[in-house]
Amino acid sequence: MKNAQDLAPPTTRCEPQPLSIAQASSLIAERVQGLLHGLAPQAMDMALDKAFGRTLASDIISPIQVPAYTNSAMDGFAFRMPEKPQAIENPCRFVIVGESLAGKPFEGNIRFDECIKIMTGAVMPKDVDTVAPFESVQLEPGKMKGSKPTIGDGVQIDCAGFNAGDNRRLAGEDIAKGSCILRKGHRLHSASMGLVASLGFSQVQVQSALRVALFSTGDELQRPGETLKSGMIFDSNRYTLIGLLQGLGCDVIDLGIVPDNPQALKQTLIKATELAHVILTSGGVSDGDADFTKALMQELGEVFFWKIAMRPGRPLAFGSLSKRLFFGLPGNPVAVMVTFLSLVRPALLQLMGREEDAGPLRATSLALCEQPIKKKKGRTEFQRGMTRRNSKGELCVSLSGHQGSGILSSMVQGDCLIVLEHDREDVSAQEWVTIWPLAGLI
Ligand code: AMP
Ligand code: MG
């Protein structure tokens, strides 16, 4: 396994150079893989109607074929296509001998010169293979237009206008019995819940939720709901992180606010390892006098890296403690979101086995940047952006509000993050930039 130092560019200082996001991502992925055995969630049975947002712990194999029986795709008349329809007199005459309705199949036999009335979804009897929709069929001459044909009436069907099998849905054409419908690691959403139900399952095997212990650090923090004292601020990071974690289906263990006090921090870190698979903190990981989190982690466990070439979000301590994963996020509220989305979220998805969602972020797009942006080469920079379509229909993006790393309002006003890659320099107006749409992520 590589150390941060092996991945980082050579340095003459005793501290390693910051890792690029790509280096940090691969190091995290490697460490998560190493800890997977002890941290991967357990399987449990759950009622399907309670399983929205849960991750499947086993593949879903279809015990039936879908459709379960061959049925009609239209309302009309089901008949057997003559072998050479062109060679016979057209239209052909068929006598109606019965009907097949949804839930009430036709039980009798049907001869080659007979047909049945059939409704969409109703069982196609074995003797027929094709459905002529009502509007294509002529009633027998003498029948009043508009009157309904009934059993014993004759109808005329232009057989040359159809191919055998038209308007018929074959048993098993959607899903074959025994086929794998959803893979382990799939996160159940509304469509997949319906799909699982359509196979007859009322229970599914899902992963127990990943437990993530969370606390904020800082002597200046107060709980929302209290009266703000002078020099203090409300703790917002915990709420942002609770939302981000719950959005991923994690079980959040909220350990509140911990002061910048090594003893209190130590106790809380140890408690967190007993309660959770992953420990997430915010604040206290820079080089200030009150930044104890990283040093304590180094004393109690291991810290693999703590500096990333990104902005916002440069200090981010990643390590392990008693075989638990530890992410010490920066204190600045926007830096918390950016580091979570770019580095913590993929690690949590990896732990949950959510392969289909993994990768740094699935949904990236390109947009035309509507204004110049200053960018320093050698670090990844994130800006909050707002998208729109221009008159040509192209996706455009502009900066949303103030970009300071403590300013959460621009994260709420914006609808995306603009990602300026590691090697990129200043961006001119009308250059294409990568964006991460925030909808569905935050
Ligand atoms: P730190 O990394 O602890 O030096 O914090 C950096 C900045 O983020 C400081 O201005 C802190 O007051 C602020 N900050 C730290 N934790 C939080 C929090 N939980 N909620 C809101 N702001 C915070
Ligand atoms: Mg602090």
Side-chain angles (χ1 to χ4, degrees), residues 51-252:
F52 179 79
R54 291 295 193 138
T55 304
L56 288 178
S58 53
D59 293 348
I60 301 272
I61 308 294
S62 180
I64 56 170
Q65 54 178 358
V66 179
Y69 45 84
T70 299
N71 67 82
S72 175
M74 301 286 275
D75 292 344
F77 294 97
F79 63 100
R80 178 155 18 126
M81 182 64 87
E83 272 182 20
K84 290 188 181 138
Q86 275 78 7
I88 58 169
E89 199 183 325
N90 246 322
C92 310
R93 182 178 185 275
F94 295 89
V95 176
I96 305 169
V97 293
E99 58 184 15
S100 180
L101 308 176
K104 286 199 196 120
F106 176 79
E107 307 283 3
N109 296 319
I110 306 166
R111 291 185 353 198
F112 68 91
D113 57 353
E114 295 172 341
C115 68
I116 57 162
K117 218 158 117 178
I118 196 162
M119 297 298 144
T120 306
V123 177
M124 288 275 281
K126 61 176 179 0
D127 295 334
V128 291
D129 58 12
T130 308
V131 174
F134 281 142
E135 58 276 15
S136 70
V137 170
Q138 296 289 314
L139 296 190
E140 194 139 75
K143 270 249 160 205
M144 289 290 289
K145 215 176 168 204
S147 69
K148 286 189 178 167
T150 51
I151 293 172
D153 287 345
V155 291
Q156 293 187 345
I157 298 175
D158 174 16
C159 291
F162 293 97
N163 291 314
D166 277 359
N167 303 316
R168 170 186 66 172
R169 297 189 285 226
L170 284 176
E173 82 177 17
D174 183 11
I175 297 172
K177 187 174 172 177
S179 59
C180 177
I181 297 312
L182 291 169
R183 293 238 168 253
K184 176 181 170 176
H186 168 82
R187 185 175 192 221
L188 285 167
H189 51 62
S190 42
S192 52
M193 283 174 74
L195 181 62
V196 172
S198 75
L199 305 179
F201 293 109
S202 61
Q203 297 251 322
V204 271
Q205 219 181 33
V206 297
Q207 294 180 0
S208 60
L210 190 71
R211 288 196 307 277
V212 183
L214 172 66
F215 60 91
S216 299
T217 71
D219 285 340
E220 76 282 30
L221 301 179
Q222 270 188 252
R223 289 173 179 272
E226 295 174 352
T227 307
L228 198 63
K229 296 183 198 126
S230 136
M232 305 287 275
I233 59 167
F234 287 121
D235 171 14
S236 63
N237 289 345
R238 213 155 29 96
Y239 295 84
T240 302
L241 288 168
I242 287 172
L244 287 165
L245 291 167
Q246 286 181 349
L248 287 178
C250 299
D251 211 349
V252 182

Side-chain angles (χ1 to χ4, degrees), residues 217-221 260 282-286 290-293 331:
T217 71
D219 285 340
E220 76 282 30
L221 301 179
D260 292 316
S282 74
V285 286
S286 338
D291 293 330
F292 301 116
T293 314

Side-chain angles (χ1 to χ4, degrees), residues 215 255 264-274 279 281 293 296-297 300 321 326:
F215 60 91
L255 298 177
L265 275 170
K266 189 171 175 174
Q267 275 172 6
T268 315
L269 277 173
I270 291 169
K271 185 168 158 195
T273 61
E274 288 158 7
I279 304 158
T281 67
T293 314
L296 262 170
M297 276 301 300
L300 299 171
L321 179 62
F326 169 83

Side-chain angles (χ1 to χ4, degrees), residues 373-433:
I373 305 179
K374 285 253 169 258
K375 161 71 171 64
K376 207 168 136 187
K377 191 175 169 174
R379 67 182 186 199
T380 307
E381 293 187 13
F382 296 84
Q383 306 271 354
R384 283 138 273 170
M386 186 68 188
T387 56
R388 68 169 191 107
R389 295 263 167 204
N390 65 13
S391 56
K392 289 192 222 151
E394 293 162 324
L395 190 63
C396 300
V397 67
S398 51
L399 297 177
S400 76
H402 292 292
Q403 296 288 325
S405 58
I407 299 174
L408 260 187
S409 55
S410 53
M411 197 80 188
V412 174
Q413 284 152 13
D415 62 2
C416 69
L417 284 173
I418 304 171
V419 187
L420 304 175
E421 293 86 356
H422 192 85
D423 289 325
R424 192 155 194 166
E425 296 182 52
D426 289 350
V427 176
S428 324
Q430 298 306 308
E431 261 183 49
W432 289 97
V433 289

Side-chain angles (χ1 to χ4, degrees), residues 340-356:
F340 183 92
L341 291 176
S342 49
L343 293 165
V344 182
R345 184 177 184 274
L348 299 181
L349 290 173
Q350 188 184 350
L351 274 178
M352 291 188 253
R354 296 246 302 267
E355 271 130 46
E356 60 193 58

